[in-house]
Amino acid sequence: MGSVSLHNVNKSFKAVDVIHDVALEIEDGEFCVLIGPSGSGKSTLLRIIAGLEEVSSGTVSINGKDVTELAPKQRDIAMVFQTYALYPQMTVAENMGFALKLAGMPKAEIAEKVKQTARMLELEPLLDRLPKALSGGQRQRVSMGRAIVRDPSVFLFDEPLSNLDAKLRVQVRGEIADLHKRLGTTSIYVTHDQVEAMTLGQKIVVLWDGRVEQAGPPLTLYNDPVNTFVASFLGTPSINLIEARVELNGGEAAARLTDGALLPLGAAQDFTEGQAILYGIRPEHVGIVAGRQEGGIAATIHAVENTGSDMVILSDAQGFRVSAAFKEQRPLEAGQIVTLIPDHSKVRVFDAESGKRIRRREDG
Amino acid sequence: MKMTLPQRIARGLVYALLLIVFCGPFWGILATAFTKNTVQPGQLVLWPSNPTFDHFIYAWSEVKIWIYLFNSLFVVAIATVLQTFVSALAAYALARKRFRGAAIVSLAIISTMMLPDEVIAIPLYLILHAELPLLHTSIYNTYAAMILPVVGWAFSVFLLTEFMKAIPRDLEDAARVDGANELQIFWRVVLPLVRPALGTATIFGFLMIWDQYLLPLIAVDDRNLYTLPVILRSLRVDEVLQQNIFIAVTVVATVPCIVVYLLLQKQFNRGLMSGAVKG
Ligand SMILES: Nc1ncnc2c1ncn2[C@@H]1O[C@H](COP(=O)(O)OP(=O)(O)OP(=O)(O)O)[C@@H](O)[C@H]1O
Ligand SMILES: [Mg+2]
């Protein structure tokens, strides 16, 4: 049991406003990821939920109960820190049992619970060690164990994987997902890694400059971003945003790119003549054919990035760059002249000035 | 690295010289204290002739140095414990708590380090004589008069403050989330992590209090409350007392310092900090 909701939360440090009017509903059992660039206020928001930081205004509720004025220990939450924050003078078992001990649980019961959790995380052989005698990955696991053993209503994670190497990160990411499936505990997870966000999150909250830009299921954010910030924050390589002007012709609208290419946009009602837009198309929705062809963007391949499973083509058109990505291997190389053909149904159009999404009829 | 013979000899000579400079006088004191023959003031022997415990026995039974040894040990034990405890609390507040006037408090504590004891002797004397409210008596001529003035010591406050500043804040936040209150955080998380510094502060505090001379001189005038430094001074000018006995008392006065140092040295368990946080 643990829903979390924030209402009009504001936070300022002295004169600097860091969090602006954040509202958020996280359902019981949901895995919610907070993502955003450095300094966007992710950690601050998480610490506000934890009770480590006071709000300047607004309310925080957990399980429908207003906890805004309550201390962390009265909120029934557990937190995993980026630095792990294990108590150096205590063994793994003591670290894991510290909260239970403070809560006055009998020794035998603590030992039992610690053992159970340690078994689940395969930490049993390490229980008597001090943190300094553990590897980074093991410390990370202990810090998760310390949270799990308390069986709280909400888990809070602040970039728990950022100190692990790439391979371990993928492994632990999978384990966190499994744990969440098994325990079903509401989790709020801060990261700046969009792959973590997309793979773990049932809901993703994109923060920018202390504001929630968009919140929703990962694929909704990916396919249906409300603005250019969200669109370009999710997805690697990131979405192509190409400057263009709208031209209306009968009932149809089209985008005139700076190099002269004319690409169809759909029904004219959604646009006005001469409107400045950003023509957004994700790399995987850009087709590529060798040579020159009508109805596409003429370009020269600038670089080919091949990871074996994916191919990314960076190409120069006249005045802008476009990237394309696909799964199959194709005989393309730098310097080659090609035509890029966007999948018109996948185009996302944004207002050039505000960056806001312009919804087309066929976007649904 | 391998050293040539001349280099090794040179090194040996330097070490020997250092040893003589630092340990020589101490050896002289020890040897004289155990020598039967009387020496003149200002004279030390280098080898005890007719070794004997007589001077110690005399110092114990006739000069009754056990009274002063007890006074010194009693004052130093209580004052060091209190001083370390008060310093740790003050240091935690200065290192972590944001409160109005923190800078002024800090400055006030530093400024006490700039005043020589002689300057505060008279104000201190007046304070020690002042009648306390309710109790209608002063602490003059009590152990408290020798203990309370050294309980606050800027040096140990600042030493501990610096160590506490180095503790990652995440540890305290983790404890807070785990349900610890402020006192539990201080006691169970912060203090164990500054143990090496606590050891250092305790040793320095012990020596500082053990060496107090002016304070007991103005704090008490009952000879039965005298501490070792005060009685040493009065024995020094005692014309009938044998020099060897005075030196034996000096030896007794140094022993506790050495014992404390050896005991606490082992406790300096450095490296506890590593492994607290990654990176
Ligand atoms: N204690 C503080 N005092 C003053 N400013 C602070 C404090 N803590 C955070 N800030 C400011 O608040 C803003 C948000 O910080 P926060 O740590 O929440 O960012 P973040 O999104 O977690 O970034 P990162 O990805 O780098 O961890 C930053 O501009 C930061 O400088
Ligand atoms: Mg952060």
Side-chain angles (χ1 to χ4, degrees):
Chain A
M1 265 296 286
S3 61
V4 177
S5 54
L6 306 185
H7 290 289
N8 307 328
V9 169
N10 284 282
K11 171 75 188 172
S12 41
F13 290 107
K14 301 245 169 72
V16 188
D17 294 336
V18 174
I19 301 288
H20 307 271
D21 250 339
V22 167
L24 208 54
E25 294 292 338
I26 299 160
E27 282 161 38
D28 183 30
E30 197 168 31
F31 200 113
C32 172
V33 175
L34 302 181
I35 189 169
S38 189
S40 56
K42 307 180 292 289
S43 299
T44 306
L45 203 55
L46 199 71
R47 291 169 59 83
I48 285 174
I49 297 171
L52 292 170
E53 213 77 74
E54 282 176 24
V55 298
S56 301
S57 68
T59 58
V60 180
S61 321
I62 296 178
N63 272 334
K65 182 176 155 211
D66 186 345
V67 297
T68 317
E69 301 297 327
L70 298 187
K73 71 166 168 182
Q74 293 161 296
R75 296 188 178 200
D76 197 18
I77 43 113
M79 187 157 171
V80 175
F81 291 80
Q82 182 174 10
T83 55
Y84 313 147
L86 301 179
Y87 311 116
Q89 74 278 24
M90 300 184 202
T91 62
V92 168
E94 287 167 343
N95 261 285
M96 288 172 66
F98 189 55
L100 303 179
K101 187 169 157 190
L102 289 173
M105 189 182 276
K107 270 202 173 121
E109 211 172 316
I110 296 177
E112 182 51 37
K113 286 211 169 205
V114 166
K115 209 161 176 194
Q116 226 173 339
T117 310
R119 197 172 308 140
M120 181 158 86
L121 293 171
E122 292 166 25
L123 285 172
E124 270 183 307
L126 307 178
L127 281 176
D128 294 324
R129 293 214 200 154
L130 286 176
K132 67 178 168 193
L134 300 178
S135 73
Q138 289 167 334
R139 283 177 203 169
Q140 203 279 336
R141 217 172 267 263
V142 173
S143 76
M144 296 222 300
R146 189 169 66 176
I148 292 169
V149 78
R150 296 176 46 194
D151 191 20
S153 335
V154 183
F155 284 131
L156 305 174
F157 298 90
D158 193 353
E159 309 207 25
L161 307 185
S162 59
N163 284 323
L164 302 179
D165 66 51
K167 206 170 156 198
L168 203 52
R169 205 176 305 166
V170 174
Q171 185 196 328
V172 180
R173 194 173 79 201
E175 287 171 6
I176 291 179
D178 288 345
L179 270 174
H180 179 252
K181 270 202 206 91
R182 219 163 115 188
L183 303 172
T185 310
T186 313
S187 305
I188 306 177
Y189 186 105
V190 164
T191 182
H192 58 248
D193 182 318
Q194 45 131 338
V195 180
E196 268 172 41
M198 298 292 289
T199 51
L200 285 172
Q202 293 170 326
K203 172 188 272 172
I204 295 184
V205 177
V206 180
L207 284 175
W208 187 27
D209 203 14
R211 289 188 175 82
V212 173
E213 292 294 310
Q214 191 174 4
L219 285 182
T220 305
L221 265 60
Y222 189 79
N223 293 325
D224 207 9
V226 296
N227 56 28
T228 50
F229 179 79
V230 175
S232 46
F233 200 77
L234 298 176
T236 29
S238 72
I239 190 168
N240 296 296
L241 292 170
I242 306 166
E243 282 178 29
R245 280 197 181 276
V246 173
E247 286 184 8
L248 299 180
N249 192 355
E252 296 291 311
R256 177 73 72 184
L257 307 192
T258 51
D259 68 343
L262 195 64
L263 302 169
L265 283 176
Q269 291 96 314
D270 302 321
F271 302 97
T272 52
E273 175 73 29
Q275 191 178 3
I277 59 163
L278 289 169
Y279 182 92
I281 185 80
R282 293 209 178 266
E284 65 270 28
H285 300 141
V286 177
I288 196 162
V289 293
R292 291 253 184 265
Q293 200 174 307
E294 275 300 302
I297 306 165
T300 312
I301 296 182
H302 168 78
V304 178
E305 290 172 355
N306 199 336
T307 62
S309 62
D310 299 84
M311 241 180 136
V312 175
I313 308 294
L314 305 174
S315 54
D316 292 322
Q318 249 178 345
F320 54 92
R321 272 196 172 173
V322 181
S323 51
F326 32 86
K327 290 283 168 202
E328 71 275 15
Q329 295 291 319
R330 291 170 58 178
L332 295 165
E333 54 190 49
Q336 205 173 335
I337 290 172
V338 290
T339 304
L340 305 166
I341 303 173
D343 176 347
H344 301 309
S345 68
K346 297 289 205 282
V347 171
R348 298 290 175 259
V349 186
F350 301 91
D351 184 74
E353 199 149 320
S354 64
K356 288 220 173 72
R357 174 81 176 279
I358 302 172
R359 266 171 207 289
R360 306 180 301 161
R361 243 134 254 219
E362 60 238 74
D363 291 350
Chain B
M1 198 184 76
K2 265 205 122 79
M3 285 199 294
T4 61
L5 191 63
Q7 273 174 330
R8 265 194 262 179
I9 291 172
R11 190 175 65 164
L13 280 175
V14 170
Y15 286 175
L17 200 70
L18 286 175
L19 207 65
I20 289 167
V21 168
F22 285 104
C23 298
F26 193 68
W27 170 253
I29 289 171
L30 267 183
T32 311
F34 285 100
T35 294
K36 184 144 190 107
N37 311 350
T38 303
V39 296
Q40 293 307 309
Q43 192 184 357
L44 291 177
V45 298
L46 286 182
W47 197 254
S49 50
N50 302 324
T52 172
F53 276 107
D54 286 357
H55 308 307
F56 287 96
I57 292 164
Y58 185 89
W60 197 263
S61 57
E62 301 304 317
V63 185
K64 294 198 169 52
I65 60 162
W66 51 270
I67 295 178
Y68 316 108
L69 185 64
F70 171 82
N71 288 344
S72 267
L73 287 174
F74 183 78
V75 167
V76 85
I78 296 198
T80 310
V81 169
L82 284 178
Q83 184 190 74
T84 310
F85 185 66
V86 167
S87 301
L89 282 171
Y92 187 51
L94 289 177
R96 278 298 194 268
K97 304 293 167 201
R98 281 198 227 118
F99 54 94
R100 221 173 256 274
I104 294 173
V105 170
S106 207
L107 200 70
I109 296 178
I110 292 184
S111 67
T112 64
M113 291 173 94
M114 301 174 185
L115 299 173
D117 285 351
E118 290 75 11
V119 173
I120 58 168
I122 290 171
L124 190 60
Y125 180 83
L126 294 176
I127 290 172
L128 292 177
H129 272 274
E131 190 169 287
L132 296 171
L134 298 178
L135 297 177
H136 300 297
T137 173
S138 73
I139 59 171
Y140 181 71
N141 243 343
T142 64
Y143 285 117
M146 294 185 280
I147 292 172
L148 293 180
V150 289
V151 163
W153 191 30
F155 171 80
S156 94
V157 172
F158 281 102
L159 179 80
L160 293 173
T161 304
E162 287 314 306
F163 271 77
M164 288 184 187
K165 277 183 184 163
I167 296 176
R169 277 171 195 271
D170 272 0
L171 284 183
E172 286 155 71
D173 284 341
R176 225 158 261 147
V177 171
D178 272 346
N181 60 35
E182 294 304 305
L183 206 64
Q184 286 168 322
I185 294 174
F186 175 71
W187 200 251
R188 297 186 183 221
V189 177
V190 175
L191 275 193
L193 290 179
V194 295
R195 245 178 64 182
L198 279 180
T200 311
T202 306
I203 286 190
F204 280 105
F206 179 94
L207 292 178
M208 174 266 199
I209 296 163
W210 187 258
D211 286 345
Q212 285 294 325
Y213 170 67
L214 197 60
L215 176 62
L217 208 58
I218 60 176
V220 295
D221 88 69
D222 178 353
R223 195 176 165 96
N224 283 326
L225 289 176
Y226 278 6
T227 55
L228 283 169
V230 180
I231 203 67
L232 273 175
R233 176 71 199 159
S234 70
L235 295 182
R236 180 101 183 77
V237 295
D238 188 334
E239 308 217 314
V240 292
L241 193 78
Q242 267 187 44
Q243 176 75 359
N244 304 51
I245 292 164
F246 170 70
I247 288 181
V249 176
T250 313
V251 171
V252 173
T254 45
V255 170
C257 290
I258 295 170
V259 171
V260 163
Y261 184 77
L262 293 179
L263 281 182
L264 282 179
Q265 195 187 29
K266 271 196 198 152
Q267 286 229 318
F268 288 179
N269 199 347
R270 290 191 179 276
L272 255 180
M273 233 23 217
S274 61
V277 294
K278 167 90 182 172

